[in-house]
Amino acid sequence: MKTTIELPDALIEQARRVAKGEGATLRALIEEGLQRSLEARRREGRRQLDFPSYGGNGLTEEFQSAPWGRIRDEIYRGHSA
Protein backbone atom coordinates (compact mmCIF):
# COMPACT_ATOMS: atom_id res chain seq x y z
CA MET A 1 0.00 0.00 0.00
CA LYS A 2 1.22 3.47 -0.77
CA THR A 3 0.77 6.35 1.63
CA THR A 4 2.15 9.83 2.08
CA ILE A 5 3.48 11.13 5.37
CA GLU A 6 5.27 14.32 6.34
CA LEU A 7 8.46 13.98 8.35
CA PRO A 8 11.08 16.56 9.34
CA ASP A 9 13.75 17.06 6.68
CA ALA A 10 16.57 16.45 9.18
CA LEU A 11 15.05 13.11 10.18
CA ILE A 12 14.72 11.95 6.58
CA GLU A 13 18.28 13.00 5.77
CA GLN A 14 19.60 11.13 8.80
CA ALA A 15 17.58 8.05 7.84
CA ARG A 16 18.87 8.20 4.25
CA ARG A 17 22.47 8.33 5.50
CA VAL A 18 21.93 5.35 7.82
CA ALA A 19 20.16 3.35 5.11
CA LYS A 20 22.92 4.10 2.59
CA GLY A 21 25.63 3.21 5.12
CA GLU A 22 23.93 -0.14 5.76
CA GLY A 23 23.24 -0.85 2.12
CA ALA A 24 19.49 -0.72 2.75
CA THR A 25 16.67 1.33 1.34
CA LEU A 26 14.92 4.17 3.11
CA ARG A 27 11.72 2.15 2.81
CA ALA A 28 13.30 -0.85 4.55
CA LEU A 29 14.61 1.36 7.37
CA ILE A 30 11.23 3.02 7.92
CA GLU A 31 9.44 -0.33 7.78
CA GLU A 32 11.84 -1.81 10.36
CA GLY A 33 11.38 1.19 12.64
CA LEU A 34 7.61 1.03 12.44
CA GLN A 35 7.61 -2.72 13.12
CA ARG A 36 9.86 -2.24 16.16
CA SER A 37 7.69 0.58 17.47
CA LEU A 38 4.50 -1.48 17.14
CA GLU A 39 6.11 -4.51 18.79
CA ALA A 40 7.33 -2.37 21.71
CA ARG A 41 3.79 -1.10 22.20
CA ARG A 42 2.41 -4.65 22.16
CA ARG A 43 4.94 -5.72 24.79
CA GLU A 44 4.19 -2.62 26.86
CA GLY A 45 0.47 -3.35 26.78
CA ARG A 46 1.05 -6.86 28.13
CA ARG A 47 3.38 -5.77 30.90
CA GLN A 48 2.11 -6.67 34.34
CA LEU A 49 3.09 -4.52 37.26
CA ASP A 50 4.36 -6.35 40.29
CA PHE A 51 3.05 -4.57 43.35
CA PRO A 52 4.46 -5.62 46.68
CA SER A 53 2.03 -7.37 48.98
CA TYR A 54 2.03 -7.07 52.72
CA GLY A 55 -0.58 -9.68 53.55
CA GLY A 56 -4.29 -9.14 53.60
CA ASN A 57 -6.78 -9.70 50.83
CA GLY A 58 -6.39 -6.60 48.69
CA LEU A 59 -8.90 -3.78 48.58
CA THR A 60 -12.04 -3.92 50.67
CA GLU A 61 -15.30 -4.37 48.77
CA GLU A 62 -15.97 -0.66 49.17
CA PHE A 63 -12.90 0.22 47.09
CA GLN A 64 -12.56 -2.70 44.64
CA SER A 65 -14.22 -0.86 41.76
CA ALA A 66 -13.67 2.68 43.04
CA PRO A 67 -11.86 5.22 40.85
CA TRP A 68 -8.37 6.19 41.90
CA GLY A 69 -9.51 9.65 42.99
CA ARG A 70 -11.80 8.18 45.63
CA ILE A 71 -9.08 5.86 46.94
CA ARG A 72 -6.59 8.74 47.03
CA ASP A 73 -9.05 10.96 48.88
CA GLU A 74 -9.57 8.25 51.48
CA ILE A 75 -5.83 7.74 51.93
CA TYR A 76 -5.31 11.44 52.62
CA ARG A 77 -8.55 12.06 54.55
CA GLY A 78 -7.75 13.99 57.70
CA HIS A 79 -4.28 15.06 56.54
CA SER A 80 -3.70 18.70 55.76
CA ALA A 81 -1.48 19.67 52.86
Side-chain angles (χ1 to χ4, degrees):
M1 175 187 305
K2 286 188 177 193
T3 191
T4 301
I5 57 172
E6 290 185 33
L7 298 171
D9 292 342
L11 180 61
I12 291 297
E13 288 306 316
Q14 183 181 3
R16 283 187 175 133
R17 284 192 300 274
V18 169
K20 184 177 180 181
E22 294 179 358
T25 64
L26 179 59
R27 175 186 172 163
L29 188 67
I30 292 171
E31 187 176 335
E32 177 187 348
L34 184 56
Q35 286 174 344
R36 286 181 182 211
S37 177
L38 293 172
E39 179 58 32
R41 282 172 171 75
R42 279 191 290 272
R43 283 193 307 271
E44 214 173 78
R46 291 188 305 245
R47 188 182 322 161
Q48 299 264 337
L49 297 177
D50 184 26
F51 291 104
S53 175
Y54 300 98
N57 297 318
L59 295 173
T60 61
E61 269 187 52
E62 179 183 6
F63 293 104
Q64 283 183 2
S65 60
W68 167 245
R70 182 162 174 240
I71 296 169
R72 182 197 58 231
D73 291 347
E74 182 65 22
I75 291 169
Y76 291 105
R77 185 169 48 119
H79 292 83
S80 58

